[in-house]
Amino acid sequence: FWEGLFRDPREVLWGSALVMSWNVVIADFTGRLLPWDTRSYWSVVRGLEVATAPPVLGGVVAFLIGGNLINADVLIRFYVLHILVLPALFLATLYVTFATIRRVGLSPVPEPASGEATSTLRNHLYSLVTLYVLLFGVLVTLSILAPFPFMAVADPYTTPHDARPPWYLLAPYALVEKGLGLRWLGGLVLPTISLGLLLLPLWAKRWTSHAA
């Protein structure tokens, strides 16, 4: 963002980055239900209360996942999304990202003082691989030292007192619960932010044209 990645001619890179970000969020949300214990079940229930709150968008989400109630059909759809659809979409977006980098490059960077040519794609790949290796090491270390505990099997008739959605839905969930009759308002927070970020390249073009 600070290097102007959303500006022409790198709008595709900006869009692919947003798609990958949403892909990671949805992968986390769909994966939460797979353990099928009390914590995962009610976390998804609270999350769906936010996702299905908007008038039109909520109905589309409920249709895609198989309804507003968490049952075996929804579990199967979440499994397919988490194991097949979302990884395939992530790989496709990753291909678009690197293909675009090879074509237009990243944001302009200062030329090296020595005058030697540098490969932006090679440096980006090196940084990405290094980040993945470090992240994988951190995840393996945490899984060994602090394994995630599983609770009792999910019971739709017993609501835990501390049931809450994932951390990235806590603020919208608070609006849904305390919306003073405007429950749909909380469900529109994340879609509105995402739409604003997606349209940022168009706004940047307008600002540039007005400045000129």
Side-chain angles (χ1 to χ4, degrees):
F1 175 82
W2 302 113
E3 295 181 354
L5 188 63
F6 54 88
R7 299 183 184 277
D8 182 71
R10 300 175 180 86
E11 299 92 341
V12 176
L13 281 176
W14 180 259
S16 62
L18 291 177
V19 172
M20 283 193 290
S21 300
W22 264 105
N23 195 313
V24 171
V25 171
I26 298 175
D28 173 80
F29 188 71
T30 54
R32 285 176 177 268
L33 186 63
L34 301 186
W36 200 251
D37 62 355
T38 302
R39 180 189 292 108
S40 65
Y41 178 88
W42 285 101
S43 177
V44 173
V45 168
R46 294 293 182 255
L48 286 181
E49 290 178 1
V50 176
T52 58
V56 177
L57 184 61
V60 174
V61 172
F63 173 78
L64 292 177
I65 67 174
N68 293 320
L69 300 178
I70 306 298
N71 51 31
D73 294 333
V74 175
L75 177 62
I76 292 175
R77 295 196 182 194
F78 271 46
Y79 178 80
V80 173
L81 283 172
H82 189 77
I83 300 300
L84 297 177
V85 178
L86 294 176
L89 178 60
F90 185 85
L91 291 177
T93 312
L94 199 63
Y95 171 79
V96 172
T97 299
F98 282 104
T100 307
I101 291 176
R102 289 180 62 89
R103 184 177 180 85
V104 301
L106 289 171
S107 299
V109 295
E111 294 293 335
S114 62
E116 297 178 356
T118 58
S119 173
T120 303
L121 178 62
R122 186 182 298 111
N123 293 338
H124 189 64
L125 282 173
Y126 177 78
S127 301
L128 195 62
V129 171
T130 303
L131 178 62
Y132 282 168
V133 171
L134 291 176
L135 183 60
F136 181 76
V138 170
L139 291 177
V140 171
T141 303
L142 289 176
S143 65
I144 295 175
L145 299 180
F148 189 79
F150 290 96
M151 301 181 67
V153 179
D155 183 4
Y157 301 105
T158 303
T159 306
H161 65 88
D162 59 345
R164 57 182 181 179
W167 62 268
Y168 45 83
L169 291 176
L170 286 176
Y173 179 73
L175 290 177
V176 169
E177 290 299 303
K178 309 295 184 181
L180 302 178
L182 300 176
R183 290 178 56 87
W184 54 269
L185 185 61
L188 289 178
V189 172
L190 291 181
T192 302
I193 295 175
S194 301
L195 182 61
L197 292 175
L198 190 62
L199 295 178
L200 189 58
L202 299 178
W203 295 342
K205 286 184 177 180
R206 179 172 298 182
W207 294 335
T208 304
S209 61
H210 287 330

